[in-house]
Amino acid sequence: PEAVVKKYLEEVKGAPADEDCIICMEKLSSPSGYGDACECSTIKPEMVGRLKCQHSFHMLCMLAMYSNGNKDGSLQCPSCKTIYGEKTGTQPKGRMEVSTFSQSLPGHGDCGTIQIVYHISRGIQGPEHPNPGMPYTARGFPRYCYLPDNEKGRKVLELLKVAWKRRLIFTVGTSITTGESNTVVWNEIHHKTEMDTNRSGHGYPDPNYLDNVLVELAAQGVTEDCLRQ
């Protein structure tokens, strides 16, 4: 963890007296509020670092934030959400299947449809999950999702494949709809699960959906740059 923090944060001297660290809410000119909870021999409570996005924090606060996550080698700025490194998630094992057919989606009558099927089975939580060693359930799988088979839809598909490989599409948590805990849930990348209607808000037509999901993917560090690598 110390190496990750030092990789992305440049230590700065003479922090502004009136600027707060938004992680611990103490002044940057004062020691980190995590001085007691997070001890480190190489990062002192008074050390301040700056990310390339120009936001500054106590380095010990960033260490505490990183250590409280899934420690994947990436850092996310808590101020502007810029991601440094490759963010990965805690999605359980499964598989993603893709197929196409000629029927059109409402609002996309000029093209066919891409169908994505996600398969995840119940299992035991790993060390990256909320309750390691406890079982998790996987309700509602396989889950069927739909994209228009046009240029932008195919781009979204390729980015979803990257997000799947990085374990970002699902996570283990508490279901908003049922309240069940220790279950597989969606993870901030919205999908369209209805093909012919939009009664639930998870179908078509929705002229803004493709643009919105591109923004959600980018917030997870999945952008067109990933397709060029």
Side-chain angles (χ1 to χ4, degrees):
E2 294 94 333
V4 174
V5 169
K6 289 185 171 183
K7 179 179 179 180
Y8 297 116
L9 280 158
E10 180 186 357
E11 187 180 357
V12 294
K13 304 292 186 183
D18 59 344
E19 191 174 331
D20 291 338
C21 171
I22 69 165
I23 301 174
C24 71
M25 304 311 295
E26 300 287 345
K27 297 291 184 188
L28 286 175
S29 54
S30 302
S32 164
Y34 283 90
D36 294 332
C38 186
E39 293 185 10
C40 174
S41 59
T42 60
I43 297 177
K44 305 300 181 187
E46 63 274 9
M47 291 170 68
V48 173
R50 182 183 293 128
L51 294 166
K52 284 187 178 178
C53 56
Q54 299 303 303
H55 292 116
S56 299
F57 313 92
H58 291 119
M59 294 179 74
L60 201 62
C61 290
M62 289 296 283
L63 179 65
M65 187 183 80
Y66 177 80
S67 298
N68 196 43
N70 62 337
K71 298 184 278 292
D72 60 0
S74 73
L75 268 186
Q76 185 164 19
C77 174
S79 182
C80 68
K81 307 305 181 188
T82 298
I83 295 170
Y84 297 89
E86 185 178 296
K87 182 179 180 179
T88 58
T90 60
Q91 174 180 288
K93 289 182 179 179
R95 70 181 193 277
M96 174 185 184
E97 296 176 345
V98 179
S99 59
T100 58
F101 48 88
S102 59
Q103 184 179 342
S104 298
L105 294 164
H108 295 279
D110 58 343
C111 65
T113 297
I114 299 167
Q115 178 179 271
I116 304 168
V117 187
Y118 295 114
H119 299 265
I120 294 179
S121 301
R122 64 188 181 181
I124 302 297
Q125 297 182 50
E128 72 273 31
H129 293 135
N131 296 295
M134 284 185 61
Y136 63 83
T137 58
R139 311 286 186 197
F141 287 90
R143 296 191 186 183
Y144 292 79
C145 308
Y146 305 96
L147 293 167
D149 192 7
N150 57 22
E151 184 178 357
K152 188 176 283 188
R154 289 188 289 271
K155 179 168 73 173
V156 169
L157 172 65
E158 293 307 310
L159 292 172
L160 288 173
K161 289 178 181 177
V162 174
W164 173 264
K165 288 179 182 176
R166 294 184 184 177
R167 304 175 67 195
L168 294 167
I169 291 179
F170 296 97
T171 188
V172 174
T174 300
S175 169
I176 295 173
T177 51
T178 67
E180 181 181 8
S181 57
N182 300 308
T183 192
V184 180
V185 294
W186 294 104
N187 185 36
E188 300 179 11
I189 301 172
H190 285 87
H191 285 63
K192 293 298 187 183
T193 54
E194 285 188 67
M195 184 176 169
D196 298 320
T197 64
N198 197 17
R199 282 193 300 268
S200 67
H202 302 299
Y204 294 91
D206 183 347
N208 299 317
Y209 170 65
L210 294 176
D211 289 327
N212 289 343
V213 78
L214 286 170
V215 171
E216 292 172 348
L217 284 158
Q220 300 289 334
V222 181
T223 65
E224 287 186 66
D225 290 341
C226 302
L227 305 181
R228 302 189 188 103
Q229 294 173 2

